[in-house]
Amino acid sequence: MKRNGMLPWVCLTLGAASLFLGGCKSTVHVTDSAESGTQQLLMNSSADAVICSFDFSPLANRLCFLDTTGLGNANTGYLPYRIREQMGSFGVLLAETRDEAEVIVEAGLAAYGTDSRRDTLGITDVNQLPDIYLCVDNVQYGVAKLSLFAREKKTGAVIWHSGIMRADSYQDIRKVLGTGPRYTGTIQHSGTRVGR
């Protein structure tokens, strides 16, 4: 009688033990884009800053076509879109084709990319000892260097030049004594927005 009364408790104990000791396994498949989100934010932040520095007011009310050949691999997508948007905000009339334009605006991209740097303070590269980091500082940089000029289509005369403009962006990810990561910089990282 006593043994039968113990049976439910034994089953419950074994079930709980198998639950805690056996653990559980979850598999999540994650795919990444060719360029990370942070890399894209850094590059586009630099592009936004440099394009906002252009003053297209001398071309206001002129029918202009933007030649993006000099943008290289970035001649489609966000960069030419932002240049056209900036032109339009200064009253420039945007031509759909080169043939209908009276002015050709040529864009040249000298630099558009990212770099990174990692600094560590602690015990590293010691045989038979695990790495111990007191401080880890990861910094990523984005840079955009751009120049534009405009010429009359008929005469070829240069009527406007932007000058060479450059803008940088950065993100600093720091861990100190096991705390962090702490994000600072010109972009807001998604890690700081989790749960919002």
Side-chain angles (χ1 to χ4, degrees):
M1 202 69 171
K2 203 170 185 181
R3 286 169 89 185
N4 288 344
M6 290 288 290
L7 189 59
W9 288 107
V10 170
C11 291
L12 187 62
T13 303
L14 289 174
S18 66
L19 195 69
F20 288 106
L21 297 177
C24 63
K25 182 178 179 180
S26 177
T27 303
V28 178
H29 182 67
V30 178
T31 59
D32 291 322
S33 56
E35 294 175 344
S36 70
T38 298
Q39 183 181 5
Q40 293 177 57
L41 286 172
L42 287 168
M43 292 170 65
N44 292 333
S45 176
S46 300
D48 287 338
V50 76
I51 291 168
C52 283
S53 67
F54 293 138
D55 180 4
F56 289 101
S57 55
L59 302 177
N61 300 315
R62 302 291 303 271
L63 190 58
C64 298
F65 174 78
L66 178 64
D67 184 347
T68 60
T69 308
L71 297 180
N73 293 333
N75 69 351
T76 59
Y78 187 72
L79 194 59
Y81 159 79
R82 280 292 287 119
I83 296 171
R84 287 188 183 98
E85 182 184 37
Q86 183 75 354
M87 291 169 67
S89 70
F90 277 89
V92 177
L93 306 176
L94 302 174
E96 291 295 326
T97 65
R98 181 185 290 268
D99 292 336
E100 67 181 6
E102 57 180 305
V103 175
I104 306 297
V105 178
E106 295 192 33
L109 186 63
Y112 190 51
T114 59
D115 292 307
S116 62
R117 188 193 80 221
R118 179 182 170 92
D119 297 321
T120 57
L121 176 65
I123 301 170
T124 62
D125 299 327
V126 178
N127 290 338
Q128 300 176 347
L129 284 177
D131 290 344
I132 300 172
Y133 297 116
L134 301 177
C135 179
V136 179
D137 190 22
N138 289 306
V139 186
Q140 295 173 292
Y141 304 94
V143 61
K145 186 177 179 182
L146 189 62
S147 177
L148 296 99
F149 74 92
R151 59 180 170 84
E152 295 276 1
K153 190 175 73 173
K154 285 185 179 179
T155 65
V158 175
I159 58 173
W160 174 80
H161 192 278
S162 68
I164 299 170
M165 301 291 189
R166 172 182 161 174
D168 298 350
S169 59
Y170 80 97
Q171 175 180 253
D172 191 351
I173 307 171
R174 184 172 297 175
K175 293 181 181 180
V176 179
L177 298 175
T179 63
R182 182 174 174 265
Y183 297 92
T184 57
T186 57
I187 65 168
Q188 185 179 21
H189 191 276
S190 57
T192 64
R193 299 194 304 268
V194 172
R196 293 186 187 175

